[in-house]
Amino acid sequence: MSDKIEQVKIEANAELEKVTDEATLRELEIRYLGKKGTVASLMKFMRDIPNEEKPLFGKKVNDLKQELQHEFDTRGAVLRNKTLMAEVQDPFFDPTLPSMDEPVGNLHPLTVITEEIEAIFRTMGFVIPDYPEAESEFFNFEALNIPGDHPARDMQDTFWLKDGNLLRTHTSPGQIRTMQQLKPPYRAIFPGKVYRYEALDASHEHTFHQVEGLVVDKNVSVGNLIHSMKVLIEEIFQRKVNIRLRPGYFPFVEPGFELDMECSVCQGKGCSVCKRTGWVELLPCGLVHPNVLRAGGLDPDEWSGWAFGLGLSRLVMMKYEIDDIRHIMGGDLRFLDQFQ
Ligand code: PHE
């Protein structure tokens, strides 16, 4: 039996000697070391061997296998080197040409910023519930204190669906859904895509991204809201950021505010993104209106809340100094590849 092993070894080495290219080497390797190769098939002699010799035979086959593998690897490296040297010496070889690397994909800047925001809020104890993109009029408007004849409906031009539902015009319906689902107190954020029937320009898209935030607890305050917003913005920008608060009107908050940050595209000098004002509306926010708490099934005498709606597209533009919102959902790889 040992003779058989020895014989395979001699044959294999003889053939290896003759190989001059990598493809043939690979074929030979499979023939000898593959699952159904010569070495594996030596094992079928096992049954003709007396029991006490079986372990030794097994070991010898294994040794052969390892030995041959080593030979193949060494030979492979030598051949690889030879091929490379031949390529380099080719007079047409130009080492200054750009390489032909396969393109590698990367996360979209919106995904990156969403994940960052989620991480910041998770550390502050916020949960991230799921909620639908196609909504009913009730969740998108009525429950948020925007009845049918309310002028605020014109603030958010709507894509209506044939079945009478709509594409959510903001992430705020998540507030009502969360109030109906969770037992207070809680803190929650809901990132998501929203849709508006808008004319496109450098700062308006029909599809854009928001992150809604909602805190429901006893006696929450405006001070607490402002503090959380400042933490959020400075964590995202990793620097001190100039902000200002203005009163803002939204039917579902009272009092309501507009939080602006200094435009980072033009450093406050004025450009097309900030409409030459030096400030960009970043984030409306406020204390949750009692009617909204009621629609969510909460007693406004017992519970209070604050909410914000952060425009993610704007934020990405500020963070990466992008001057046209249409780049964000445009899908142009020349744009997206810059965020490797
Ligand atoms: N839902 C509002 C919008 O999209 C933003 C908002 C959210 C305002 C929460 C105040 C509080 O315009």
Side-chain angles (χ1 to χ4, degrees), residues 126-246:
F126 282 68
V127 293
I128 310 177
D130 210 3
Y131 63 118
E133 257 172 73
E135 266 295 5
S136 69
E137 214 178 326
F138 174 77
F139 283 103
N140 196 81
F141 291 122
E142 258 144 67
L144 290 162
N145 202 28
I146 318 176
D149 54 356
H150 198 288
R153 289 231 180 165
D154 299 338
M155 285 160 69
Q156 302 183 356
D157 288 318
T158 309
F159 283 114
W160 292 94
L161 301 175
K162 285 206 177 106
D163 63 4
N165 287 322
L166 48 83
L167 293 181
R168 63 182 179 214
T169 58
H170 52 175
T171 44
S172 302
Q175 290 191 32
I176 310 296
R177 295 206 172 259
T178 303
M179 288 177 198
Q180 292 185 349
Q181 272 159 27
L182 300 183
K183 221 169 93 65
Y186 46 75
R187 301 139 185 262
I189 56 164
F190 341 96
K193 236 190 257 174
V194 302
Y195 305 86
R196 287 190 204 169
Y197 189 56
E198 299 251 22
L200 255 73
D201 64 32
S203 51
H204 292 89
E205 256 282 23
H206 51 67
T207 302
F208 53 101
H209 294 71
Q210 296 184 330
V211 178
E212 190 89 3
L214 173 69
V215 168
V216 173
D217 208 331
K218 312 228 160 176
N219 306 317
V220 306
S221 71
V222 173
N224 178 235
L225 161 65
I226 294 171
H227 172 74
S228 301
M229 294 302 96
K230 184 113 176 121
V231 170
L232 167 69
I233 294 165
E234 296 194 339
E235 280 288 328
I236 292 172
F237 285 86
Q238 291 291 310
R239 60 175 166 89
K240 284 250 163 286
V241 175
N242 287 331
I243 59 172
R244 70 176 188 189
L245 268 186
R246 288 177 290 126

Side-chain angles (χ1 to χ4, degrees), residues 1 4-13 28-46 57-70 72:
M1 277 311 137
K4 275 249 176 285
I5 295 178
E6 197 54 32
Q7 195 185 330
V8 170
K9 183 169 156 181
I10 290 168
E11 269 171 30
N13 277 319
L28 201 61
E29 185 174 349
I30 292 170
R31 187 138 60 77
Y32 276 94
L33 296 174
K35 262 204 196 102
K36 293 181 184 152
T38 316
V39 173
S41 67
L42 281 172
M43 280 301 186
K44 70 172 181 267
F45 294 110
M46 198 60 115
F57 180 74
K59 183 179 178 313
K60 280 189 170 163
V61 174
N62 246 333
D63 288 350
L64 171 67
K65 192 172 165 188
Q66 273 174 22
E67 204 177 307
L68 284 185
Q69 187 65 60
H70 178 73
F72 275 100

Side-chain angles (χ1 to χ4, degrees), residues 89-101:
Q89 272 150 21
D90 184 328
F92 290 105
F93 177 75
D94 179 355
T96 64
L97 283 177
S99 73
M100 294 201 288
D101 288 344

